[in-house]
Amino acid sequence: ADIDLANNELTMAQRHLQRVTQLFAHQAVSGGEIDQATASVRKAEAALKQAIEQQQLAECQRELEVARLESYNVRSPFAGHVLEVVGKLGQSLARVDPVLTLASLKRLRVELHVPVSWYGRLRPGDPCSLVASAPVGQVLSGTLVACEPVIDAATQTFRCVFEIDNDDERLPAGFTVRLVKSPAPRTASAKWER
């Protein structure tokens, strides 16, 4: 609105200067009136420039406020289910403070302690069969993701991590499984990824 008003005032000042210039050519007005009309045009040009600068300043302030508002958004690096909201309404938090617990159930992680007799026979990437307890109650296909290179001397086991594909999210988290291949299977909980 300020720019439109300044444009209109500039147009009127330019028209007035043009008329005064024509009248001056016919010696109907003095040189002082031309000077006054010229000054009015310059004043209107300065007002238009100021209105444009004010609009640019307001746009910069708007962008700053949008960026500031964006800093209050919480975005997850993955899609998942909210398990717990830790933050409270109105609470001040630092960037490192937890706000909520989010879980992805698309890939379930299983940690098993496998007997030492299987050390070296299992390789990451190997497929495996895992027998799931209730409420699942079926044999599931999994993949060995990692084998720890450390043997627990007390239990004569080593830790292995398996993953179960759960893209359709039909399996809940938290059920126990047994590794079918193992001669003395151990149980562990299927966990979600955080």
Side-chain angles (χ1 to χ4, degrees):
D2 289 342
I3 291 175
D4 287 343
L5 179 63
N7 262 324
N8 288 338
E9 288 179 3
L10 177 59
T11 301
M12 293 300 291
Q14 287 169 336
R15 285 182 187 162
H16 180 67
L17 176 61
Q18 191 177 27
R19 280 195 292 273
V20 170
T21 303
Q22 287 172 353
L23 290 172
F24 181 74
H26 293 23
Q27 297 179 350
V29 294
S30 68
E33 288 185 61
I34 288 206
D35 291 343
Q36 192 176 19
T38 302
S40 293
V41 168
R42 288 193 180 127
K43 183 179 176 184
E45 287 171 342
L48 176 61
K49 184 178 178 184
Q50 183 179 18
I52 290 170
E53 288 172 354
Q54 288 293 334
Q55 181 188 31
Q56 290 170 342
L57 178 62
E59 182 62 28
C60 288
Q61 288 174 333
R62 188 190 73 78
E63 288 174 9
L64 178 65
E65 290 304 318
V66 166
R68 185 174 293 148
L69 183 62
E70 181 66 22
S71 72
Y72 292 107
N73 287 336
V74 177
R75 297 203 194 293
S76 169
F78 59 90
H81 301 276
V82 175
L83 301 180
E84 176 186 16
V85 177
V86 179
K88 304 288 185 234
L89 185 63
Q91 178 183 6
S92 293
L93 298 170
R95 284 194 177 272
V96 296
D97 292 338
V99 177
L100 52 85
T101 303
L102 188 70
S104 172
L105 301 178
K106 294 200 178 285
R107 196 164 287 285
L108 299 177
R109 183 164 283 189
V110 178
E111 294 181 15
L112 292 173
H113 291 272
V114 179
V116 72
S117 61
W118 284 87
Y119 190 80
R121 293 164 60 186
L122 298 173
R123 301 262 186 255
D126 286 351
C128 64
S129 297
L130 301 164
V131 178
S133 65
V136 177
Q138 66 185 51
V139 177
L140 301 172
S141 295
T143 304
L144 179 63
V145 177
C147 287
E148 216 169 67
V150 177
I151 296 170
D152 184 337
T155 62
Q156 287 295 293
T157 60
F158 64 102
R159 183 175 156 271
C160 290
V161 179
F162 300 87
E163 283 186 350
I164 301 170
D165 185 26
N166 191 29
D167 270 342
D168 57 4
E169 296 187 5
R170 65 179 177 78
L171 299 172
F175 60 90
T176 60
V177 295
R178 287 184 297 115
L179 179 62
V180 175
K181 290 186 199 179
S182 175
R186 308 279 180 162
T187 60
S189 292
K191 299 179 182 177
W192 58 84
E193 292 182 52
R194 286 190 183 192

